[in-house]
């Protein structure tokens, strides 16, 4: 057996250079410049010149080696440069999506950038369900602002669905024909709508271009208009001296007498390393963090449990007039929070986020028809392509202990146990989705749709992996305290989406970033 | 025989219409489809398929799709990818065959009047719950 190499100790070792990990590294290295910080990431850097957007077969690549699902990428036999691991998702209503490499899942995210609402932090107090967060929206607000600065938000200030936010750095993305149609629909009904906040440049910024509406954002942005942490936080972290190590798979957080002493990992050459550290920060996302901590023997009954995705469904509306087609960032047109807050008359607590999204490319639309072949399928495709709009419904997912990430019996090629995701859609989520689908349909009709198609569940919408190492004060029902410290080993800090005690009904990226910045400040204060 | 069968199967999957070409005339690299289609073709009685009319061919395909969904989907996915990325087909859909980058696309029209509708939304005051 090869001998393990013991490295010089560092003060802090961070596992994962995705959204939470990168934000944490950048902030901690600024606030506590004397700390020696290493960041280990299982994947490498992706090259913008290699992205599908430069190729004629880009549509096919989106559905195979550059799909958003790691399982599909692996199945295609020619996985993109994401360092994927297999996830058994056969027992999950939603299939986990992610990217494993520098930038993490922000490489293939859609960069829709909403914040949680103040009420999302107070479910127990306000609605008598689930848990409160250990701090409020207003405690996190300064960090939301800092995170906005780092990502460079395009949007429009003044949205009455939120407490006032600082003015957005860039003008909003264009609505286009699709957005204008949707706006007319919402307006006709007298419902709230607003152009989305997007972490996408609408004007060029240094070496990063302005969005030219090329389309396939979820396969990486070729001109850097879309913010991902490989071009925002990680360069800052490197400048501050963080030792970023790509292609390093962490296999174990070493724990002795209730404290972490470092991590064991395998580097790009296959060498086995022991990195001693005073603090271990884990930011591997809702699946990767639970997998690593469970494999390391962290004894915490809630670890891996309470997995939340945001249940997703959508309605497609068909229009006589031509809309934009697959032009522009897919998730970024406009949204409505008319039904976001609890209304007891609806028969369920909390609410839904309605998001008007852009069309899929031709091939993807063709492949998703049922059946996808024959004259009738082609007739429908001709009728629908560039004439349809989808309204995505995201519902609040409530924490349930049986929804979880568990280790499988077998070991995987990366030296960690295999991982399985178990998730059942609850009755509560079903009711919320059905309510949202009804509203989406109403809006599409008001906007002029002559036909609508409901998709009651969107399995390939497992974008948000949350809650599996949640914050709280009770070690029996939570994994960490309010500072992300594991109850079972307080010098292990979790700094990613796993921490969310509840998830609201909006995309989590801006909250994950803000949270990681806050936790980095907490640690920096302590280290001072 | 197997070339003729492959062409006939592709045309049954993607028959086209007055302006959209059938798969066999869409300029696809058919040689690249032969291998992934093989497991499906092996399940089809070539003589019966070629002798059948369009409706009969669809029925035969539906039957194999049921008996061997994996082979059917593999062939279908490859056929769809080749077809819906073919320049002639993209042109009929009003889409270009050049990649998305570096040219990008335009989102056309003036958003001004639509954004003016936001005044009504603003006028309603805060919607968030304290
Ligand atoms: C297709 C897609 C679209 C999305 N769209 C949006 C959107 O529009 N808006 C939004 O807010 N959110 C969106 N999301 C979600 C958002 O990207 C994620 O919530 C966010 O990136 C999660 O941050 P994280 O820090 O928890 O994990 P990640 O960003 O996933 O980073 C985790 C990192 O840890 C690394 N890692 C894991 N295990 C190990 C190990 N053992 N050793 C070393 N490294 C390890 C991984 O390789 C990865 O790089 C989208 C996600 C996807 C996949
Ligand atoms: S649409 Fe805009 S943000 Fe998306 S990949 Fe293209 S340039 Fe980047």
């Amino acid at each position: 057996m090869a001998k393990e190499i013991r490295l010089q100790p560092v003060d802090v070792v961070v596992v994962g250079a995705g959204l939470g990990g990168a934000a944490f590294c950048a902030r901690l290295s600024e606030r506590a410049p004397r700390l020696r910080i290493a960041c280990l990431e299982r994947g490498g850097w992706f090259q913008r010149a290699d992205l599908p957007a430069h190729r004629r077969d880009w549509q096919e690549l989106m559905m195979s080696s550059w799909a958003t699902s790691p399982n599909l990428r692996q199945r295609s036999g020619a996985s993109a440069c994401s360092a994927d691991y297999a996830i058994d998702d056969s027992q999950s209503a939603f299939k986990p999506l992610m990217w494993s490499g520098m930038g993490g899942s922000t490489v293939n995210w859609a960069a829709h950038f909403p914040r949680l609402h103040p009420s999302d932090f107070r479910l127990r107090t306000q609605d008598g369900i689930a848990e409160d967060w250990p701090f409020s929206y207003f405690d996190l607000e300064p960090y939301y602002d800092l995170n906005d600065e780092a990502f460079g938000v395009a949007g429009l200030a003044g949205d009455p669905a939120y407490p006032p936010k600082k003015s957005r750095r860039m003008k909003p993305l264009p609505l286009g024909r699709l957005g204008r149609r949707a706006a007319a629909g919402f307006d006709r009904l007298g419902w709230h709508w607003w152009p989305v906040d997007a972490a996408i440049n609408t004007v060029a910024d240094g070496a990063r271009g302005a969005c030219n509406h090329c389309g396939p954002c979820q396969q990486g942005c070729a001109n850097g208009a879309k913010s991902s942490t490989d071009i925002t936080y990680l360069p800052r972290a490197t400048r501050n001296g963080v030792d970023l190590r790509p292609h390093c798979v962490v296999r174990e957080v070493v724990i002795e007498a209730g404290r972490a002493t470092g991590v064991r990992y395998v580097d790009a050459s296959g060498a086995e390393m022991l990195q001693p550290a005073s603090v271990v920060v884990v930011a591997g996302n809702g699946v990767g963090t639970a997998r690593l901590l469970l494999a390391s023997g962290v004894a915490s009954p809630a670890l891996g449990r309470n997995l939340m995705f945001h249940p997703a469904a959508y309605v497609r509306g068909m229009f006589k007039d031509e809309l934009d087609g697959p032009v522009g960032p897919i998730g970024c047109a406009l949204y409505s929070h008319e039904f976001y807050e609890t209304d007891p008359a609806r028969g369920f607590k909390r609410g839904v986020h309605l998001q008007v999204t852009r069309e899929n490319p031709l091939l993807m639309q063709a492949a998703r028809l049922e059946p996808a072949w024959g004259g009738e399928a082609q007739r429908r495709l001709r009728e629908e392509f560039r004439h349809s709009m989808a309204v995505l419904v995201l519902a609040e997912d409530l924490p349930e202990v049986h929804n979880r990430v568990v280790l499988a019996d077998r070991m995987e090629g990366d030296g960690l146990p295999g991982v399985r995701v178990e998730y059942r859609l609850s009755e509560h989520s079903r009711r919320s989705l059905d309510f949202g689908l009804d509203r989406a349909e109403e809006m599409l009709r008001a906007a002029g749709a002559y036909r609508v198609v409901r998709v009651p569940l969107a399995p390939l919408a497992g974008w948000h992996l949350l809650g599996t190492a949640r914050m709280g004060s009770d070690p029996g029902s939570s994994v960490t305290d309010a500072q992300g410290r594991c109850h079972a080993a307080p010098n292990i800090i979790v700094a990613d989406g796993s921490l969310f005690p509840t998830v609201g009904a909006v995309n989590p990226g801006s909250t994950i970033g803000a949270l990681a910045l806050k936790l980095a400040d907490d640690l920096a204060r302590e280290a001072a | 025989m197997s070339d003729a069968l492959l062409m006939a199967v592709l045309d049954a999957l993607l028959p086209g219409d007055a302006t959209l070409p059938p798969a066999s005339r869409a300029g696809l690299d058919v040689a690249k489809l032969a291998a992934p289609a093989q497991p499906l073709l092996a399940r089809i009685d070539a003589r019966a398929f070629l002798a059948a009319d369009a409706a009969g061919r669809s029925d035969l395909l539906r039957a194999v799709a049921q008996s061997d969904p994996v082979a059917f989907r593999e062939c279908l996915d490859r056929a769809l990818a080749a077809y819906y990325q073919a320049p002639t087909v993209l042109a009929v859909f009003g889409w270009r065959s050049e990649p998305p980058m570096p040219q990008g696309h335009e989102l056309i029209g003036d958003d001004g009047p639509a954004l003016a509708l936001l005044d009504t939304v603003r006028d309603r005051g805060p919607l968030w719950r304290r």
Side-chain angles (χ1 to χ4, degrees):
Chain A
M1 209 171 84
K3 199 166 168 304
E4 183 176 81
I5 300 167
R6 189 184 172 89
L7 299 167
Q8 286 299 316
V10 294
D11 297 304
V12 181
V13 64
V14 178
V15 182
L19 179 37
F24 191 95
C25 284
R27 184 71 179 172
L28 182 65
S29 56
E30 271 154 21
R31 305 295 282 186
R34 282 205 306 273
L35 292 182
R36 289 158 303 166
I37 305 168
C39 178
L40 310 180
E41 166 53 53
R42 59 180 290 134
W45 299 93
F46 76 99
Q47 300 303 319
R48 291 194 144 68
D50 297 339
L51 293 180
H54 294 294
R55 294 178 47 162
R56 280 175 186 263
D57 58 353
W58 63 281
Q59 298 190 71
E60 193 174 357
L61 294 173
M62 282 178 82
M63 298 166 66
S64 51
S65 54
W66 284 83
T68 51
S69 148
N71 284 358
L72 287 180
R73 290 194 292 262
Q74 286 174 295
R75 219 169 287 151
S76 79
S79 196
C81 54
S82 173
D84 296 324
Y85 53 92
I87 299 170
D88 177 353
D89 57 18
S90 58
Q91 292 172 51
S92 176
F94 298 103
K95 312 301 171 194
L97 309 178
M98 65 176 78
W99 182 272
S100 294
M102 290 295 178
S105 304
T106 62
V107 170
N108 58 0
W109 75 338
H112 178 44
F113 207 60
R115 296 179 178 187
L116 290 175
H117 282 218
S119 64
D120 288 324
F121 293 76
R122 309 181 65 213
L123 261 62
R124 167 67 43 197
T125 304
Q126 291 196 333
D127 294 300
I129 50 170
E131 308 293 338
D132 285 352
W133 282 53
F135 40 81
S136 73
Y137 174 93
F138 299 99
D139 294 326
L140 202 56
E141 194 174 39
Y143 295 99
Y144 271 129
D145 290 344
L146 281 172
N147 193 49
D148 284 0
E149 269 171 42
F151 277 95
V153 186
L156 197 64
D159 182 354
Y162 284 93
K165 292 183 246 175
K166 285 194 174 156
S167 72
R168 317 326 268 145
R169 175 140 48 105
M170 297 181 200
K171 63 183 179 190
L173 286 156
L175 298 174
R177 288 179 285 201
L178 173 141
R180 293 194 293 273
R181 268 245 158 246
F186 285 119
D187 185 64
R188 210 155 285 151
L189 295 165
W191 291 356
H192 166 267
W193 68 276
W194 206 261
V196 298
D197 273 354
I200 292 177
N201 286 349
T202 47
V203 289
D205 186 13
R208 293 175 49 198
C211 174
N212 68 5
H213 318 131
C214 77
C217 308
Q218 296 190 112
Q219 281 60 45
C221 175
N223 72 359
K226 184 184 79 167
S227 287
S228 43
T229 55
D230 60 312
I231 51 175
T232 53
Y233 282 121
L234 290 181
R236 257 166 71 179
T238 312
R239 273 197 303 277
N240 297 340
V242 173
D243 176 8
L244 267 184
R245 301 180 203 161
H247 304 294
C248 292
V249 179
V250 177
R251 290 178 169 173
E252 185 189 351
V253 178
V254 184
I255 302 170
E256 288 162 18
R259 290 192 68 81
T261 55
V263 297
R264 289 209 153 83
Y265 72 95
V266 175
D267 76 2
S269 71
E272 295 186 9
M273 305 289 192
L274 176 68
Q275 174 63 71
S278 308
V279 176
V280 175
V281 177
V282 184
N285 81 34
V287 174
T289 289
R291 182 187 188 209
L292 178 61
L293 294 182
L294 286 167
S296 305
V298 170
S300 194
L303 181 60
R305 297 194 175 268
N306 302 301
L307 170 68
M308 291 168 278
F309 280 111
H310 287 134
Y314 58 95
V315 186
R316 294 180 64 224
M318 269 34 96
F319 293 80
K320 288 279 180 233
D321 49 338
E322 192 176 321
L323 303 177
D324 307 308
V327 167
I330 183 143
C332 295
L334 51 94
Y335 81 97
S336 171
H337 277 186
E338 182 68 27
F339 308 102
Y340 195 86
E341 304 286 2
T342 297
D343 175 352
R346 290 183 209 137
F348 63 90
K349 302 273 174 76
R350 310 300 300 153
V352 292
H353 170 73
L354 301 179
Q355 190 178 339
V356 177
T357 63
R358 299 194 174 276
E359 249 185 13
N360 283 315
L362 182 63
L363 172 59
M364 198 177 275
Q365 246 173 265
R368 290 192 177 165
L369 288 173
E370 196 49 62
W373 61 279
E376 175 55 19
Q378 290 196 294
R379 192 196 60 71
R380 272 186 57 194
L381 191 60
R382 291 201 68 172
E383 184 189 309
E384 293 177 7
F385 186 63
R386 302 174 81 181
H387 290 268
S388 75
M389 124 180 22
V391 178
L392 175 71
V393 180
L394 285 190
E396 165 110 33
D397 208 349
L398 295 175
E400 294 175 289
V401 288
H402 59 261
N403 290 334
R404 59 179 188 154
V405 170
V406 273
L407 299 182
D409 292 337
R410 50 159 218 294
M411 293 300 282
E412 284 294 334
D414 61 4
L416 279 152
V419 67
R420 185 172 70 246
V421 170
E422 298 173 355
Y423 178 94
R424 284 198 311 269
L425 189 76
S426 70
E427 190 48 42
H428 180 270
S429 294
R430 186 65 269 165
R431 274 205 299 276
S432 325
L433 284 179
D434 288 342
F435 170 84
L437 289 168
D438 288 345
R439 300 293 78 74
E441 192 172 329
E442 211 175 327
M443 188 291 276
L444 285 164
R445 298 234 184 249
Y450 65 90
R451 183 163 67 83
V452 295
V453 176
R454 277 167 90 113
V455 179
L457 203 71
L460 273 176
W463 306 293
H464 309 150
L465 310 167
L466 307 165
T468 52
R470 65 178 181 171
M471 293 179 285
S473 51
D474 171 14
S477 61
S478 61
V479 178
T480 81
D481 66 11
Q483 298 179 324
R485 295 170 179 282
C486 287
H487 300 303
N491 66 337
I492 302 177
I493 296 178
V494 176
D496 64 13
S498 321
L499 289 170
F500 285 32
T502 59
V503 297
V506 291
N507 315 50
S510 79
T511 306
I512 294 173
L515 183 55
L517 298 178
K518 180 178 185 306
L519 300 184
D521 271 13
D522 291 343
L523 180 61
R525 255 194 309 277
E526 201 168 287
Chain B
M1 180 70 129
S2 91
D3 269 5
L5 178 61
L6 175 59
M7 288 305 211
V9 167
L10 290 175
D11 279 353
L13 293 173
L14 296 153
D17 58 26
T19 47
L20 198 56
S24 59
R25 281 195 276 117
L28 314 187
D29 185 350
V30 179
K32 268 173 97 175
L33 294 172
Q38 201 42 51
L40 176 70
L41 299 189
R43 290 188 153 269
I44 297 176
D45 176 345
R47 222 175 283 277
F49 194 86
L50 291 171
D53 62 7
R57 289 178 180 187
S58 294
D59 288 343
L60 288 167
L61 278 183
R62 260 189 292 276
V64 258
Q66 268 199 334
S67 63
D68 191 346
V70 175
F72 182 79
R73 192 70 219 193
E74 169 68 9
C75 176
L76 176 62
D77 282 344
R78 298 300 187 97
L80 292 175
Y83 184 85
Y84 288 112
Q85 294 187 109
T88 44
V89 172
L90 287 166
V92 176
F93 279 93
W95 207 249
R96 65 166 196 245
S97 48
E98 287 76 32
M101 278 291 188
Q103 204 181 326
H105 293 282
E106 229 187 314
L107 277 167
I108 53 178
D110 175 16
D111 287 346
L115 293 176
L117 299 174
L118 289 173
D119 289 344
T120 332
V121 180
R122 274 190 205 95
D123 289 348
R124 287 176 60 189
L127 290 178
W128 55 280
R129 195 169 156 208
R130 276 184 191 277

